[in-house]
Amino acid sequence: MHDARIGVVGATGAVGEITLAMLAERGFENVRALASARSAGRRLPYGAGELAVEEATPEALGSGLDVCFFSVGTSASRELVPPAAAGGALCVDKSSAFRLTDGVPLVVPEANGERALGHHGIVANPNCSTIQLVCLLKPLHEAAGLRNVRISTYQSASGAGRASMDRLRQQQSADGNVVMDWEFEGDDSDEESKLRAETRKILELPELPFSATCARVPVLVGHSQAIWVETERPLEPGEAHEVLTAAPSVRVMERPTAKDAVGSDEVLVGRIRRDTAGEGLVLWGVCDNLRKGAALNAIQIAELLLSRQAIAA
Amino acid sequence: MHDARIGVVGATGAVGEITLAMLAERGFENVRALASARSAGRRLPYGAGELAVEEATPEALGSGLDVCFFSVGTSASRELVPPAAAGGALCVDKSSAFRLTDGVPLVVPEANGERALGHHGIVANPNCSTIQLVCLLKPLHEAAGLRNVRISTYQSASGAGRASMDRLRQQQSADGNVVMDWEFEGDDSDEESKLRAETRKILELPELPFSATCARVPVLVGHSQAIWVETERPLEPGEAHEVLTAAPSVRVMERPTAKDAVGSDEVLVGRIRRDTAGEGLVLWGVCDNLRKGAALNAIQIAELLLSRQAIAA
């Protein structure tokens, strides 16, 4: 598995950097770093050594790769993923370009890893907010059946990329703002639409009643979520606590914060209590949006497929 | 009215400072600044002039005041409010000491101003989060009857006082955290318990189903709230928009932010839309927690009582 030929496209970005670090930690030995022409020639650390950044062209991606991770914008993914897939690479794409495309599995390994096996060259990695939410919702759904979900998010700057992190770091004062820096069409931001549509696709609950308010807060890394969830079979907080304690990649804590999550590979959840406005439960979830929310989830998808020999490599 | 003898206790704090500035703007001419012994003798700007800070002792407060604003901690309010009230001052207390006490009106003038007329020397000013929420809920309740409320908050550092603002300003990096820096007893933080109990008292809906998750974000001033509200009579977003547009001290905007609210005397509300997880509405409210959320609301209570000659002055 560790000699698979891996490409990391968008290697100089916030998620690309973490992807390289995690691949090195996990012992992948045959890794290429790719980025836009602007970054070509830069050298990036990889384990004890370095990688020279290559320009990510359709030609460069069209052969010689077993797995290719894409952490680039949607339009770059639309351009570069198809030639890479046609050239034989399993493409794990972190943009929203293919997430809702029929026939492209949208995968959180803990929730629907088996779906990845049906890939046709592309597996989509969900939005960071979706990944951490689904890690909590899936075990609750298996235990008691989801009836509806309401969520408000406290998303960090890194979810919007390195430039957004730099802007936050350069603020003179620590006084930030709570903003909704997404595109709006109708009632929802595209972030909210993604969160709903992706959650429904992964859980295979296309009609799940779902309402989201997404907001960005002046935090560098770590997304927090206030979640209300109602289940078909009423779940006591104690039982939900047990279900989540047993769930993969989930750690139950009292009141986890974004900073608790930074560097962690788990989704942290706490404040599991009764919804005093209705019949469900309330939760507070936090996650490192660059790790489990992006780079790690994508690597786990590739590892799953490599271990199941569902990639040509 | 403007020659009423006014005391401002806690004059050196974040809310005290705004209280003095607003009293000066509004033309009150007979104002004393009071604070702990530590601050006695300091001089504070007042309009074009200055005030010397007096030590807030039971004796100092026990005579010669028509109205006294308290922006001090709960234990200081418990000690100082009763002698001030016994000495003849109408005490508007911003701590939680008397908010839920029977016989003490808890007042947001736009929602239940008439209740202030029944005071016995003390009127309690609600928690900052409660005030802005109630300004939105009251008109919706009058229009359609509240059935239940869910809310998550994005509260600024200034809600926790000047020391918390200073800590945020002194952060080297802009990278803050999302925290719950309140006391917890059982499932709720005291902030969440206050928000529920105060909202129920002001709206006179003691059984209103209500669920809150309160969080502090690294913002200096301005509280944001994601609100889900269900009404007895279903309200279309368009009708809610009209109701809120007509509501006192409320301004409907598309997507207001905490920074939009800073310095404003109104509660800003936007993103009025259908709750796609249930039958109600979703709103996004923001407010300057030091002004309408604290100092202004208290001054409005006093002005209401002065104008109705319900204060001895």
Side-chain angles (χ1 to χ4, degrees):
Chain A
M1 172 156 114
H2 292 124
D3 56 357
R5 297 166 301 170
I6 311 279
V8 176
V9 182
T12 58
V15 174
E17 177 182 309
I18 305 267
T19 304
L20 288 176
M22 296 189 95
L23 288 169
E25 278 169 25
R26 296 162 104 88
F28 286 91
E29 290 165 0
N30 201 346
V31 175
R32 289 162 60 193
L34 301 107
S36 64
R38 207 177 53 240
S39 299
R42 275 183 57 186
R43 303 190 71 82
L44 297 176
Y46 187 79
E50 280 191 335
L51 299 174
V53 177
E54 301 168 53
E55 184 180 352
T57 61
E59 297 67 35
L61 297 168
S63 66
L65 289 172
D66 301 312
V67 176
C68 195
F69 297 104
F70 291 82
S71 314
V72 292
T74 301
S75 62
S77 277
R78 279 194 220 285
E79 184 195 339
L80 296 172
V81 168
L90 179 273
C91 297
V92 184
D93 183 38
K94 293 173 203 148
S95 83
S96 61
F98 303 101
R99 287 183 194 149
L100 302 179
T101 303
D102 282 343
V104 174
L106 178 67
V107 175
V108 176
E110 293 82 351
N112 69 340
E114 295 299 306
R115 289 295 178 201
L117 300 172
H119 76 84
H120 303 289
I122 309 175
V123 178
N125 196 70
N127 182 288
C128 41
S129 295
T130 306
I131 293 173
Q132 70 181 92
L133 178 62
V134 161
C135 283
L136 302 178
L137 292 185
K138 176 69 175 184
L140 295 174
H141 179 58
E142 286 188 340
L146 293 184
R147 183 178 284 171
N148 62 56
V149 177
R150 292 179 178 88
I151 176 171
S152 70
T153 69
Y154 303 66
Q155 299 184 217
S156 66
S158 55
R162 194 184 286 287
S164 176
M165 296 174 77
D166 289 343
R167 276 195 300 277
L168 180 57
R169 284 199 190 94
Q170 284 155 14
Q171 272 179 205
Q172 283 304 305
S173 142
D175 183 25
N177 197 0
V178 176
V179 297
M180 293 166 174
D181 55 354
W182 294 284
E183 297 295 318
F184 281 77
E185 195 172 296
D187 280 346
D188 292 324
S189 66
D190 57 358
E191 187 77 0
E192 291 157 358
S193 301
K194 286 174 193 173
L195 185 52
R196 178 172 51 230
E198 296 176 17
T199 299
R200 286 173 170 173
K201 178 169 175 174
I202 296 165
L203 296 176
E204 300 178 14
L205 295 170
E207 307 292 335
L208 178 69
F210 190 101
S211 169
T213 295
C214 290
R216 182 96 55 203
V217 296
V219 166
L220 272 180
V221 179
H223 286 4
S224 306
Q225 301 184 333
I227 306 161
W228 284 262
V229 54
E230 207 177 317
T231 50
E232 293 293 344
R233 179 173 72 76
L235 265 185
E236 291 298 311
E239 190 182 351
H241 193 290
E242 282 172 30
V243 165
L244 291 168
T245 300
S249 302
V250 171
R251 180 150 46 105
V252 179
M253 293 174 64
E254 198 170 12
R255 287 188 290 280
T257 72
K259 290 216 166 166
D260 292 330
V262 173
S264 167
D265 288 347
E266 294 169 306
V267 180
L268 311 183
V269 62
R271 306 211 60 202
I272 304 165
R273 61 202 195 279
R274 216 177 290 280
D275 174 4
T276 48
E279 298 184 352
L281 295 170
V282 192
L283 313 169
W284 177 256
V286 300
C287 183
D288 185 324
N289 53 295
L290 298 178
R291 294 176 74 91
K292 181 58 189 165
L296 175 60
N297 194 73
I299 291 172
Q300 288 171 328
I301 291 169
E303 287 178 339
L304 170 73
L305 293 175
L306 288 165
S307 71
R308 301 282 280 270
Q309 300 184 304
I311 296 178
Chain B
M1 175 156 109
H2 292 125
D3 55 358
R5 298 166 300 171
I6 310 278
V8 176
V9 183
T12 58
V15 174
E17 177 182 310
I18 305 267
T19 303
L20 287 175
M22 297 189 95
L23 287 170
E25 279 170 24
R26 294 162 106 88
F28 286 90
E29 291 167 358
N30 201 344
V31 175
R32 289 162 61 194
L34 301 108
S36 65
R38 207 178 52 242
S39 299
R42 275 184 57 187
R43 301 189 73 83
L44 298 175
Y46 187 79
E50 279 191 334
L51 298 175
V53 177
E54 302 169 53
E55 183 179 352
T57 61
E59 297 67 36
L61 297 168
S63 65
L65 290 173
D66 300 312
V67 176
C68 195
F69 297 104
F70 290 82
S71 314
V72 292
T74 301
S75 62
S77 278
R78 279 195 220 286
E79 185 195 336
L80 296 172
V81 169
L90 179 274
C91 297
V92 184
D93 183 38
K94 293 174 203 147
S95 83
S96 61
F98 304 102
R99 287 182 194 150
L100 302 180
T101 304
D102 282 344
V104 173
L106 178 68
V107 174
V108 175
E110 293 82 351
N112 68 340
E114 294 299 307
R115 288 296 178 200
L117 299 173
H119 76 85
H120 302 290
I122 309 175
V123 177
N125 196 71
N127 182 288
C128 41
S129 296
T130 306
I131 293 173
Q132 71 183 90
L133 178 62
V134 161
C135 283
L136 302 178
L137 292 185
K138 176 69 176 185
L140 295 174
H141 179 58
E142 285 187 341
L146 293 184
R147 184 179 282 171
N148 61 56
V149 177
R150 292 177 178 89
I151 176 171
S152 70
T153 68
Y154 302 66
Q155 299 184 217
S156 66
S158 56
R162 197 185 284 286
S164 176
M165 296 174 77
D166 289 343
R167 275 195 301 278
L168 180 58
R169 284 199 189 95
Q170 284 155 14
Q171 271 180 205
Q172 282 305 303
S173 143
D175 183 26
N177 197 1
V178 177
V179 297
M180 293 166 174
D181 56 354
W182 294 285
E183 297 295 318
F184 280 77
E185 196 172 295
D187 280 347
D188 292 326
S189 66
D190 56 359
E191 188 78 359
E192 292 157 357
S193 301
K194 286 174 193 172
L195 185 50
R196 178 170 53 229
E198 294 175 19
T199 300
R200 286 173 169 172
K201 178 169 175 173
I202 295 165
L203 297 176
E204 300 179 15
L205 295 170
E207 308 292 334
L208 179 68
F210 190 101
S211 169
T213 294
C214 291
R216 182 94 55 202
V217 296
V219 166
L220 273 181
V221 178
H223 286 5
S224 306
Q225 302 184 332
I227 306 160
W228 284 263
V229 54
E230 208 177 317
T231 50
E232 292 294 343
R233 178 173 73 76
L235 264 185
E236 291 297 312
E239 190 183 351
H241 192 291
E242 283 173 29
V243 165
L244 291 168
T245 299
S249 302
V250 171
R251 180 150 47 106
V252 179
M253 295 173 64
E254 198 169 12
R255 287 187 290 280
T257 71
K259 290 214 168 168
D260 292 329
V262 173
S264 166
D265 288 347
E266 294 170 307
V267 180
L268 311 183
V269 62
R271 305 213 60 204
I272 303 165
R273 60 201 196 279
R274 217 177 288 279
D275 175 4
T276 49
E279 299 184 352
L281 295 170
V282 192
L283 313 169
W284 177 257
V286 300
C287 182
D288 185 324
N289 52 293
L290 298 178
R291 294 176 74 91
K292 181 58 188 164
L296 175 59
N297 194 74
I299 291 172
Q300 288 171 327
I301 291 169
E303 287 178 338
L304 171 74
L305 293 175
L306 288 165
S307 71
R308 300 282 280 270
Q309 300 184 305
I311 295 178

